[in-house]
Amino acid sequence: MTATATRILVLNSGSSSVKYQLLDMRDSSRLAAGLVERIGETTSRLVHTPLTGQGGDAAKRERTGPIADHEAALKAVAEELAQDGLGLDSPELAAIGHRVVHGGLKFTEPTVITGEVLAEIERLVPVAPLHNPANITGIRTAQALRPDLPQVAVFDTAFHTTMPESAARYAIDIETADAYRIRRYGFHGTSHAYVSRETAKLLGKDPSEVNVIVLHLGNGASASAVRAGQCVDTSMGLTPLEGLVMGTRSGDIDPAVVFHLERVAGMSTDEIDVLLNKKSGLLGLCGDNDMREIRRRIDEGDQQALLAFEIYIHRLKKYIGAYYAVLGRVDAVVFTAGVGENAAPVRAAAIAGLEVLGLMVDADLNAVRADSARLISPEYARVAVAVVPTDEELEIARQTYALVTA
């Protein structure tokens, strides 16, 4: 790597999609971003946005038509970048950072990808069957395109590996749990790491000085308790199904519901899996998983939408209270991700009634829409309530760049 190599390409490979961003780490600026979707279909689509002096979104380019596989997708991405003078053959490209969802217990930090590392990621496929195979495909494709370039894996689970065993273990037979790697791993770790650190910065303190409850609320949602910069508990578990009510996932349920549905409803394991992951949560409760649409329906007097919202908020309050107890002292509760950053009614409802814990929201501050980190609690509140936009791509780029330049 040369001294002028300051660019990081971040890849987030899904089963039929690739999200990407190219960043210059001298100032953390974005040079380009894009999405390839419906890979393997005749209706594939690539949307590319150059972000430096070219009008931002107004300059976006789109191409449609068959993109056979991830190799073809990354080649198309490389062509779009080259059109902007940002080609993958540039000597300024320092490394490619890959989002990898599951790193198990072995990968606690960003890791340069070797054959051994890739083999371990493959061994984790049984506990991440929807995500790790796609991540592996993206890695192999990028390696084939730039075999000379460092490829770095940044793991969603890594931030949560600091949880004590008392938080990470389930109360099941320990030999069975160890044999099948059954424990709480947690997800959205890259977001929780970034947001907890940015919250400390917002408070004017070092991360080691603050305790933070992070609420990552999007279509997928998770909470974490972060003490002095380290995760000590998180709501998602062996899979992303556990925890908060989400867009289409149930979150916490009695495990016996699965046995009941199998015995009484005659549902197969696969059918129950689809029910709990794709047909539950807000969608299952009221037919919508878009919080904006749910709020619109509530404003029109829709009682089913109201019930769904109340169930969502009830679960959220339970986790805030639980993590307050886990941490003992809380310096901030912070909202992030699509719903957390944009849905003021969710923030207000989640904090309402928690004044005894020192938590409150200023209605005027909460109503402000902004792209920057901000406090929405009154100055006299004992515990800060904040909105901090997450930036997982920047976090992946930072971790990748720090590793390859170390």
Side-chain angles (χ1 to χ4, degrees):
M1 189 179 75
T2 66
T4 59
T6 59
R7 294 176 183 170
I8 299 293
L9 177 64
V10 175
L11 295 179
N12 182 353
S13 300
S15 58
S16 61
S17 66
V18 175
K19 296 178 183 177
Y20 63 94
Q21 285 194 18
L22 181 66
L23 299 96
D24 189 329
M25 301 315 296
R26 287 175 297 187
D27 57 4
S28 299
S29 61
R30 285 168 177 75
L31 305 178
L35 167 67
V36 187
E37 57 186 351
R38 298 193 289 273
I39 295 171
E41 301 180 21
T42 58
T43 56
S44 305
R45 176 172 174 259
L46 187 159
V47 179
H48 174 84
T49 306
L51 297 171
T52 302
Q54 300 184 41
D57 288 353
K60 70 171 56 175
R61 301 191 296 270
E62 182 175 330
R63 62 162 83 176
T64 56
I67 296 178
D69 51 30
H70 283 70
E71 181 179 0
L74 279 187
K75 285 181 177 177
V77 170
E79 291 170 4
E80 293 296 333
L81 290 169
Q83 189 172 326
D84 302 320
L86 303 169
L88 294 189
D89 57 350
S90 169
E92 295 182 65
L93 188 60
I96 298 176
H98 297 267
R99 177 193 181 220
V100 178
V101 168
H102 216 309
L105 293 180
K106 184 169 183 176
F107 299 114
T108 61
E109 296 178 344
T111 305
V112 174
I113 300 168
T114 62
E116 182 182 350
V117 169
L118 198 54
E120 181 63 22
I121 295 172
E122 286 187 288
R123 281 194 286 272
L124 288 163
V125 165
V127 290
L130 299 179
H131 299 97
N132 274 31
N135 302 154
I136 291 165
T137 299
I139 290 168
R140 285 183 170 149
T141 303
Q143 286 177 326
L145 287 177
R146 282 298 306 269
D148 59 312
L149 205 63
Q151 312 270 338
V152 174
V154 177
F155 299 93
D156 265 12
T157 50
F159 183 65
H160 303 304
T161 58
T162 56
M163 283 190 294
E165 289 291 276
S166 57
R169 286 275 185 184
Y170 292 111
I172 65 172
D173 174 68
I174 202 162
E175 291 182 1
T176 301
D178 288 346
Y180 297 101
R181 304 188 187 197
I182 299 172
R183 62 186 290 121
R184 175 172 288 109
Y185 292 101
F187 300 89
H188 295 147
T190 308
S191 175
H192 286 278
Y194 176 85
V195 169
S196 60
R197 195 170 56 248
E198 291 297 308
T199 302
K201 186 186 299 183
L202 181 65
L203 298 179
K205 297 182 179 180
D206 187 89
S208 64
E209 300 174 327
V210 298
N211 293 350
V212 182
I213 297 173
V214 180
L215 304 172
H216 177 109
L217 307 180
N219 194 49
S222 61
S224 68
V226 182
R227 176 185 291 128
Q230 292 194 320
C231 177
V232 295
D233 205 349
T234 192
S235 59
M236 285 181 167
L238 173 71
T239 76
L241 180 59
E242 187 180 0
L244 302 175
V245 175
M246 305 177 219
T248 65
R249 297 183 192 130
S250 65
D252 295 338
I253 60 166
D254 180 345
V257 169
V258 175
F259 315 141
H260 181 78
L261 290 172
E262 183 179 24
R263 293 167 183 157
V264 178
M267 295 177 69
S268 69
T269 302
D270 287 344
E271 288 173 329
I272 298 170
D273 192 324
V274 170
L275 172 69
L276 297 180
N277 277 290
K278 298 182 179 180
K279 296 181 179 180
S280 296
L282 293 171
L283 182 68
L285 288 168
C286 71
D288 272 309
N289 63 322
D290 187 320
M291 187 58 72
R292 294 166 296 188
E293 182 63 16
I294 290 170
R295 290 302 311 177
R296 183 194 65 78
R297 288 171 55 184
I298 291 172
D299 291 342
E300 292 178 354
D302 189 315
Q303 292 303 301
Q304 199 67 30
L306 178 60
L307 176 62
F309 183 80
E310 289 175 343
I311 292 171
Y312 181 94
I313 295 298
H314 179 77
R315 185 81 54 82
L316 197 51
K317 280 180 182 287
K318 284 177 66 174
Y319 269 91
I320 294 172
Y323 286 171
Y324 205 118
V326 166
L327 291 170
R329 189 200 83 240
V330 175
D331 297 289
V333 173
V334 55
F335 293 85
T336 193
V339 175
E341 293 170 27
N342 297 297
V346 168
R347 299 191 296 260
I351 299 300
L354 301 181
E355 291 82 5
V356 69
L357 299 178
L359 291 163
M360 55 190 72
V361 166
D362 181 289
D364 293 334
L365 293 175
N366 189 37
V368 173
R369 295 182 68 93
D371 295 329
S372 56
R374 61 199 185 278
L375 294 176
I376 58 170
S377 49
E379 290 185 8
Y380 54 82
R382 194 166 78 248
V383 179
V385 180
V387 179
V388 176
T390 190
D391 197 331
E392 293 170 276
E393 289 78 14
L394 177 57
E395 181 68 14
I396 292 171
R398 283 176 174 171
Q399 292 190 26
T400 299
Y401 189 65
L403 180 61
V404 299
T405 55

